[in-house]
Amino acid sequence: MQIKVGNIEYNLPDEGGMAAAILKLINTEEQRVLTIRKCGVKAEEYILIHLVRMYILRWVLPVIEIEHSGCLDVSLVPEMQKRFWLCMFGRSVDDLHDRDSAFFSVSDSILLTAIYSSLLNFQPSTAEGKDLLKRTAKSLSPWQDELTAASLTMELIGQDLCHRVAYFLSSPSVGDRAAKLVQSYIGVLLGRCDLDDCLADGATGLQSTAISRSLHQSVADPEGKIHLNSQLLEWYLSTEKMIRQEADFLMINLEKFGANYAASVVKDTFRQSPFNWMPAINHPR
């Protein structure tokens, strides 16, 4: 069964009734965001629906599959639902913090943070609550690197991204190999988003990611302006090639690990031309 979200088609795993269970989860969360919207959230309906489908199909389902060594069954749906709530919690907190994406207004962000922290049963006095608080605080703190124009690597990109979505990372109970694959998945897919976002950010001088800092150090003029020229094109294609090569390695490793759905998401994302890829709302933060 296929579902198209944006310009990406997702092939749902259908073993053991998984496709029906996933569709039911999506429907439940779509109805929830529509109810929330009636209660005062002013975000457009299509954005809220897109976030539900994109987070579940692009982030929650692949990551849960990796963490469970490629095994997906309906018993994992409650875990998927909780992971989706984490995505919405992190998205709203991040919009309150730096407004770089500005999906939500300040009032919407406050309401959504309160709603999803309640759904997560966020209690700072519990071990789980303290862990979430610690991860969220980490995701909001600046990540320091020693980036130069020539030193951008996938390792730096991945470290930056995993710092920024620390609330979404695997728990310590997940095996090392699975945790590393999750981090690589985040680095590759969000790295692709950051690459396209950084061109728009360049117009406003934002340097909030490892990739955007590399862009400025590599091609900005003495006034900090980014010009549309051959130097920019060369930097973009070189960075895109680096991320695409990492995606190829990731697909192989995911398939070997049995995470075939996650591998298919990576494949479908990078099947397209670097100039025909719309990242719009494709990240969990």
Side-chain angles (χ1 to χ4, degrees):
M1 181 180 295
Q2 289 186 333
I3 299 180
K4 188 170 184 179
V5 182
N7 60 347
I8 301 292
E9 287 189 351
Y10 299 89
N11 297 294
L12 298 185
D14 201 22
E15 297 81 2
M18 275 302 299
I22 294 165
L23 290 175
K24 183 178 180 180
L25 173 61
I26 289 172
N27 181 65
T28 296
E29 295 306 326
E30 286 180 348
Q31 293 305 310
R32 191 190 310 278
V33 295
L34 293 179
T35 299
I36 290 171
R37 191 168 183 270
K38 291 178 181 178
C39 295
V41 169
K42 298 180 178 60
E44 295 286 349
E45 180 178 313
Y46 78 91
I47 290 179
L48 294 171
I49 295 296
H50 184 102
L51 288 175
V52 170
R53 297 177 183 181
M54 182 272 295
Y55 282 148
I56 291 175
L57 297 175
R58 190 172 182 79
W59 295 105
V60 172
L61 188 54
V63 167
I64 295 292
E65 180 189 44
I66 296 168
E67 291 177 347
H68 290 269
S69 303
C71 298
L72 286 172
D73 61 65
V74 295
S75 68
L76 296 173
V77 170
E79 186 177 345
M80 294 175 190
Q81 184 177 48
K82 185 175 180 180
R83 209 58 169 270
F84 166 73
W85 293 343
L86 270 177
C87 288
M88 293 296 287
F89 170 80
R91 172 73 272 162
S92 57
V93 169
D94 183 72
D95 267 12
L96 273 175
H97 177 248
D98 58 22
R99 310 288 300 147
D100 61 345
S101 298
F103 289 138
F104 305 127
S105 66
V106 172
S107 60
D108 283 357
S109 295
I110 291 171
L111 286 171
L112 290 168
T113 299
I115 289 166
Y116 284 99
S117 62
S118 177
L119 288 170
L120 289 163
N121 195 27
F122 177 46
Q123 300 289 337
S125 59
T126 66
E128 186 176 12
K130 289 177 182 177
D131 181 62
L132 177 57
L133 186 62
K134 182 179 179 180
R135 288 172 181 244
T136 304
K138 180 180 179 180
S139 73
L140 299 177
S141 63
W143 184 71
Q144 301 299 325
D145 57 45
E146 297 180 359
L147 188 67
T148 65
S151 69
L152 184 67
T153 63
M154 278 306 305
E155 182 178 7
L156 277 175
I157 292 171
Q159 288 173 351
D160 171 51
L161 286 162
C162 288
H163 179 91
R164 285 158 45 204
V165 295
Y167 56 85
F168 187 73
L169 295 180
S170 303
S171 69
S173 62
V174 173
D176 287 345
R177 187 181 176 195
K180 288 178 181 178
L181 279 173
V182 168
Q183 292 169 19
S184 180
Y185 183 88
I186 290 171
V188 164
L189 267 72
L190 281 186
R192 192 63 182 79
C193 292
D194 276 357
L195 177 60
D196 286 284
D197 287 348
C198 78
L199 298 179
D201 291 346
T204 57
L206 289 174
Q207 300 182 45
S208 59
T209 72
I211 290 179
S212 62
R213 289 191 291 277
S214 171
L215 169 67
H216 276 262
Q217 292 194 30
S218 300
V219 305
D221 68 13
E223 295 181 355
K225 296 179 180 179
I226 305 296
H227 299 279
L228 184 60
N229 54 25
S230 59
Q231 186 181 10
L232 172 60
L233 179 60
E234 181 180 353
W235 174 88
Y236 180 89
L237 290 177
S238 174
T239 306
E240 200 274 343
K241 180 180 179 181
M242 176 177 64
I243 298 172
R244 187 176 288 271
Q245 288 175 336
E246 186 69 17
D248 289 339
F249 288 124
L250 176 60
M251 279 188 284
I252 292 170
N253 289 328
L254 288 171
E255 288 171 351
K256 287 181 178 178
F257 198 62
N260 295 317
Y261 175 79
S264 72
V265 174
V266 177
K267 181 179 181 180
D268 290 342
T269 298
F270 285 86
R271 173 183 293 151
Q272 303 170 63
S273 161
F275 296 104
N276 185 32
W277 196 86
M278 299 297 289
I281 317 178
N282 277 338
H283 41 87
R285 64 178 298 279

